């Protein structure tokens, strides 16, 4: 892992594959570990350079105050574009999962010459908060179970790992994998301050970002080849959100994983975000 200066901040990155191969830039959930090691290795084995990175206020990237972020969703999109430019290799294939998929949509719209292709996984075309009337919201029964749980002691590594495993079980993800990733995220978080640990584990910073103006109406402007991947049983962003994105981006291809709750393969295990 290393750090790259992009858009006047430091971004922690990790590369897989040949530096001379076509670049695939993977913008994950809050930390780069939302993209599993095995998946990155498999993509790199196909002849790509795969780069995953930590968003602001997480892990090895610039961290200031995740409870009061002084940047917007569009700043995160500008980070992705600046990183792609800094890495070189020509226009990048950009992929984003969940809220990272929102960043990816805005990045391609605001910086069209920087990206050659777009992959959107388990996301939607409106910012965190209530969706548009024609889009399905979170499954309320699942969300009630998820958010009824007491928060862990964020300074306790084992308690945080157990909290993540229990949440994964509720969402239909692999609790063993979630426990291991939560422990790795805890270890990579800069300090044990509860707000910073919570931001790294749950990505709550997104609920505090300025996400205006809307970008859904601009989706027809996207001209790069786009793949939309969604789990049929996703309770967090139900599949109707992916279907809407695929309809509104010209020529987009929709891949629905019919038996999956969420859409990132663990390369040998159950599926998870």
């Amino acid at each position: 892992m290393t750090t790259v200066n992009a858009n006047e901040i430091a971004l922690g990155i990790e590369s897989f594959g040949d530096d001379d191969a076509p670049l695939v830039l993977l913008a994950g959930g809050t930390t780069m570990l939302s993209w599993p090691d095995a998946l990155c290795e498999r993509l790199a084995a196909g002849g790509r350079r795969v780069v995953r990175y930590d968003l602001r206020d997480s892990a090895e990237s610039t961290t200031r105050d995740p409870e009061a972020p002084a940047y917007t969703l569009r700043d995160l999109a500008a980070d992705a574009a600046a990183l792609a430019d800094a890495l070189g290799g020509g226009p990048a294939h950009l992929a984003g999962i969940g809220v990272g998929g929102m960043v990816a949509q805005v990045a391609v719209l605001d910086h069209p010459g920087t990206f050659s292709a777009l992959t959107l996984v388990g996301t939607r075309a409106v910012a965190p908060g209530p969706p548009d009337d024609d889009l399905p919201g979170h499954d309320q029964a699942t969300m009630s179970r998820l958010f009824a749980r007491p928060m862990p002691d964020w300074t306790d590594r084992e308690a945080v790992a157990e909290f993540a495993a229990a949440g994964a079980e509720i969402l239909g993800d692999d609790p063993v994998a979630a426990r291991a990733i939560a422990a790795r995220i805890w270890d990579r978080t800069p300090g044990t301050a509860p707000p910073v640990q919570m931001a790294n584990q749950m990505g709550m910073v997104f609920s505090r970002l300025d996400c205006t103006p809307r970008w859904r109406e601009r989706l027809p402007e996207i001209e790069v080849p786009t793949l939309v991947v969604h789990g049929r049983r996703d309770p967090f962003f139900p599949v109707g959100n992916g279907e809407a994105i695929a309809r509104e981006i010209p020529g987009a291809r929709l891949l629905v994983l019919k038996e999956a709750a969420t859409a990132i393969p663990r390369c040998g295990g159950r599926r998870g975000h």
Side-chain angles (χ1 to χ4, degrees):
M1 296 186 187
T2 188
T3 299
V4 171
N5 290 322
N7 200 24
E8 299 183 350
I9 62 165
L11 294 177
I13 75 165
E14 184 175 19
S15 296
F16 301 77
D18 187 344
D19 284 354
D20 294 327
L23 173 66
V24 178
L25 178 63
L26 301 181
T30 304
T31 79
M32 66 172 70
L33 297 183
S34 55
W35 293 94
D37 299 353
L39 175 59
C40 293
E41 291 164 358
R42 185 171 295 183
L43 290 171
R48 302 173 177 88
R49 180 188 182 193
V50 177
V51 177
R52 62 181 181 181
Y53 73 100
D54 299 313
L55 301 183
R56 298 192 195 196
D57 282 323
S58 72
E60 297 181 19
S61 292
T62 296
T63 293
R64 293 198 174 100
D65 183 3
E67 291 191 302
Y71 52 89
T72 69
L73 185 75
R74 281 186 157 71
D75 290 322
L76 295 180
D79 293 349
L83 177 57
D85 288 340
L87 293 169
H93 181 146
L94 180 65
I97 178 174
V99 289
M102 300 174 188
V103 175
Q105 292 169 68
V106 175
V108 170
L109 285 165
D110 285 359
H111 308 274
T114 304
F115 303 105
S116 60
L118 175 64
T119 299
L120 301 172
V121 184
T123 190
R124 70 184 186 193
V126 293
D132 291 347
D133 289 343
D134 65 320
L135 299 178
H138 306 314
D139 179 79
Q140 289 306 309
T142 302
M143 295 304 105
S144 295
R145 292 177 60 203
L146 193 65
F147 291 108
R149 301 173 300 148
M151 291 292 173
D153 176 357
W154 296 104
T155 67
D156 184 334
R157 182 179 188 270
E158 294 306 312
V160 171
E162 176 59 30
F163 180 78
E169 191 72 51
I170 291 170
L171 289 170
D173 293 348
D174 182 348
V176 175
R179 180 190 298 275
I181 291 172
R184 288 177 65 191
I185 291 173
W186 198 95
D187 291 339
R188 297 181 69 243
T189 297
T192 59
V196 178
Q197 283 287 346
M198 184 177 179
N200 275 254
Q201 295 286 341
M202 299 186 69
M204 295 302 290
V205 67
F206 280 96
S207 66
R208 301 180 176 94
L209 286 185
D210 177 358
C211 298
T212 56
R214 285 171 55 92
W215 72 89
R216 183 182 180 189
E217 291 75 14
R218 296 178 59 201
L219 290 181
E221 299 173 21
I222 294 178
E223 298 180 348
V224 298
T226 301
L227 173 65
V228 180
V229 184
H230 220 103
R232 174 68 68 188
R233 300 179 181 179
D234 190 335
F236 200 81
F237 291 135
V239 67
N241 291 282
E243 292 170 340
I245 292 172
R247 284 195 305 269
E248 294 168 26
I249 296 177
R253 185 164 71 92
L254 175 65
L255 173 61
V256 175
L257 305 178
K258 295 183 179 179
E259 299 302 319
T262 49
I264 286 291
R266 293 288 170 192
C267 298
R270 292 164 63 187
R271 296 183 186 276
H273 269 309

